[in-house]
Amino acid sequence: MKRRSGVLMHVSSLWGDFSCGSFGNEALEWIDFLADCGFSVWQVLPFCLPDEYNSPYKSFSAFSGNPNFIDLPSLYRDGLITAAELGAAAQQTPYLCEFDRLGRERMALLARAAGRYTDDGEMEDFFAAHPQVENFCRFMALRAANGDRPWTVWTVDTPDPALLATWRFAEYTFFRQWAKIKAYANRRGISVVGDVPIYVAHDSADVWSAPDQFLLDGEGMPTDVAGVPPDYFCADGQLWGNPLYDWEKMQADGFAWWRARMGFMTELFDGVRIDHFRGIESYYAIPAGETTAKNGRWIKGPGLEFVRAMQQVCGDKLLIAEDLGEITAEVAALVKDSGLPGMRVLQFAFLGDENSPHLPHHYPNNCAAYTGTHDNNTLLGYIWEMPEADRRRLFAYCGYAGGDWDHCADAILRTMFASHAGLLVLPVQDLLFYGSDTRFNTPGKTGGNWSYRLARDQLPMIDRAKFREWNRLFGRA
């Protein structure tokens, strides 16, 4: 891998004035910031519509875009919303996403914009080229017509035309605005890396429109569901509940559904992280109806044949294998044989002995290294909560001799920059050395996640010259 570095920050965490980060001028300013620091990668989380807990890892469609990311001032300049409507959408706090308010108000505002939009043919061209997005829009309109109930119990098969038009306008506007942001990023030398959750929700346009691709019974319900078995961290395991793929059927048609999905992802991004990559080698199947993940079983996955099919679709795009957790020799062999870079996380480095693959001196070139992921604590929060012996070991490892460990960030980040990892990615909170109050997600916790935002006046607090020099010094510029 070419040596480079980047920052992990979801679009929702961008500063702005309308309750959530968006594809507005703030995104362009953020790209300028990355380029000025010598970074060349912007990593984001899934762009799809999030679930009721605001998680982008469970969605009504893998082929959707989050309407909350639409830039409202652009709609105002285009004459699609009024000055009064724009003013009424102004946020009350710049520090957190106002999810409740967005849920109540944003689609209603977009409905008014949709009613004023006159299609010049480009929207229809977009949907002709993206039938899965059309499926999503129809699914959402039909779901509303059926009282927002799951598709397995629908009785109404005709959507409200106005609501369908709103969803079509929102999705088209989302992708049109993002295309401009991504083009600007690429002109500034910034590659955007997205994220592909391995599974989809049962109540989704994906399962509704292609039920034959999933392991379902005659009523459309899953026969087995996804999760992970009990381990040191969770005695009952994790019962995710997603339907499992019918890999035999997918293999028979050349993984057509996945080919479409990855083609869609590589249209949006310059590369993607494949979440829960170990499920490609073997996946954990839990009988439907179980209340814990204890009684599941491992079943062989599609393996290298699937990976090669995805590489064929993605061409020279960067694919990162999320190979974290309990990794078997078979999973390690699949990652190696695939040639995909795996992941290394500093926060896992001091849980074991000196042979941990997450210690920076063990990083291969062909990996993406992180201080922490979106599921981890911030670096400062991690250090604060470490056992004293592990903290001393971390400080000694990074050559930090100072007694006031609040100022140890530079030694740790510099160690990561100097590592052999081809790609280094830092969460934006770690650039500022913020504490656990800015943590993005705590797995297993249903509330308080995904809402962190970087306020506009915090960006100047980051020392651009320092990161620019480190990128130059360690060959990542």
Side-chain angles (χ1 to χ4, degrees), residues 281-449:
E281 192 282 322
S282 292
Y283 59 94
Y284 195 62
I286 306 162
E290 292 286 336
T291 58
T292 74
K294 289 182 177 180
N295 295 322
R297 65 201 185 280
W298 288 104
I299 301 176
K300 206 70 173 174
L304 193 59
E305 181 181 356
F306 170 82
V307 177
R308 293 293 186 236
M310 298 308 100
Q311 290 172 317
Q312 185 179 48
V313 172
C314 298
D316 61 356
K317 301 272 187 173
L318 174 66
L319 299 180
I320 299 172
E322 188 271 283
D323 56 348
L324 305 176
E326 295 294 327
I327 300 302
T328 65
E330 291 81 6
V331 177
L334 176 61
V335 175
K336 180 180 178 181
D337 292 344
S338 73
L340 301 183
M343 290 178 58
R344 302 293 185 270
V345 180
L346 181 69
Q347 290 191 30
F348 300 152
F350 299 94
L351 297 176
D353 58 24
E354 64 276 4
N355 295 317
S356 170
H358 297 284
L359 285 164
H361 68 276
H362 287 314
Y363 294 170
N365 170 259
N366 193 37
C367 80
Y370 300 74
T371 46
T373 73
H374 64 277
D375 284 334
N376 290 108
N377 205 341
T378 66
L379 179 59
L380 175 58
Y382 162 73
I383 295 169
W384 183 275
E385 296 174 9
M386 289 179 83
E388 178 60 29
D390 291 341
R391 187 185 302 128
R392 288 198 300 267
R393 184 178 168 210
L394 168 66
F395 288 170
Y397 185 92
C398 297
Y400 178 69
D404 183 1
W405 57 264
D406 283 343
H407 302 288
C408 65
D410 279 2
I412 297 172
L413 296 184
R414 201 175 190 276
T415 298
M416 296 294 285
F417 270 89
S419 75
H420 195 48
L423 174 61
L424 169 64
V425 180
L426 305 174
V428 65
Q429 298 97 313
D430 291 353
L431 301 186
L432 289 152
F433 205 42
Y434 278 173
S436 57
D437 58 323
T438 65
R439 181 170 180 164
F440 202 56
N441 180 53
T442 302
K445 178 183 173 185
T446 57
N449 290 326

Side-chain angles (χ1 to χ4, degrees), residues 99-384:
F99 290 128
D100 289 343
R101 185 179 180 200
L102 289 166
R104 292 192 306 267
E105 301 177 7
R106 186 54 56 90
M107 286 304 293
L109 178 58
L110 293 177
R112 291 193 287 273
R116 297 164 184 151
Y117 176 74
T118 302
D119 183 19
D120 57 4
E122 290 187 4
M123 180 188 289
E124 294 307 318
D125 291 342
F126 170 81
F127 283 109
H130 300 87
Q132 296 88 356
V133 183
E134 180 81 74
N135 281 340
F136 163 70
C137 295
R138 186 170 181 81
F139 174 87
M140 294 303 292
L142 280 171
R143 195 173 188 277
N146 283 275
D148 291 325
R149 293 179 299 167
W151 63 269
T152 51
V153 296
W154 286 358
T155 58
V156 178
D157 59 7
T158 303
D160 174 28
L163 184 55
L164 178 58
T166 296
W167 275 109
R168 295 178 90 247
F169 168 79
E171 291 301 293
Y172 169 66
T173 302
F174 173 98
F175 290 106
R176 182 182 61 182
Q177 288 190 358
W178 171 245
K180 294 178 180 178
I181 298 298
K182 180 180 177 295
Y184 183 78
N186 293 165
R187 289 197 299 272
R188 292 302 320 267
I190 305 297
S191 297
V192 185
V193 174
D195 199 308
V196 178
I198 187 171
Y199 292 121
V200 300
H202 175 249
D203 188 17
S204 67
D206 309 308
V207 183
W208 167 71
S209 63
D212 60 316
Q213 299 288 310
F214 300 86
L215 295 176
L216 308 176
D217 63 19
E219 303 298 319
M221 300 302 292
T223 55
D224 292 278
V225 296
V228 290
D231 58 20
Y232 174 81
F233 300 101
C234 187
D236 288 336
Q238 297 180 40
L239 180 62
W240 297 339
N242 308 78
L244 297 171
Y245 298 110
D246 186 339
W247 284 118
E248 290 187 6
K249 179 66 177 294
M250 287 188 160
Q251 184 179 33
D253 66 12
F255 306 103
W257 185 90
W258 266 97
R259 284 178 177 271
R261 185 183 189 187
M262 293 301 286
F264 181 71
M265 290 294 102
T266 54
E267 181 180 345
L268 289 173
F269 306 114
D270 301 299
V272 293
R273 186 192 82 129
I274 302 175
D275 189 48
H276 194 59
F277 188 81
R278 72 103 56 243
I280 304 303
E281 192 282 322
S282 292
Y283 59 94
Y284 195 62
I286 306 162
E290 292 286 336
T291 58
T292 74
K294 289 182 177 180
N295 295 322
R297 65 201 185 280
W298 288 104
I299 301 176
K300 206 70 173 174
L304 193 59
E305 181 181 356
F306 170 82
V307 177
R308 293 293 186 236
M310 298 308 100
Q311 290 172 317
Q312 185 179 48
V313 172
C314 298
D316 61 356
K317 301 272 187 173
L318 174 66
L319 299 180
I320 299 172
E322 188 271 283
D323 56 348
L324 305 176
E326 295 294 327
I327 300 302
T328 65
E330 291 81 6
V331 177
L334 176 61
V335 175
K336 180 180 178 181
D337 292 344
S338 73
L340 301 183
M343 290 178 58
R344 302 293 185 270
V345 180
L346 181 69
Q347 290 191 30
F348 300 152
F350 299 94
L351 297 176
D353 58 24
E354 64 276 4
N355 295 317
S356 170
H358 297 284
L359 285 164
H361 68 276
H362 287 314
Y363 294 170
N365 170 259
N366 193 37
C367 80
Y370 300 74
T371 46
T373 73
H374 64 277
D375 284 334
N376 290 108
N377 205 341
T378 66
L379 179 59
L380 175 58
Y382 162 73
I383 295 169
W384 183 275

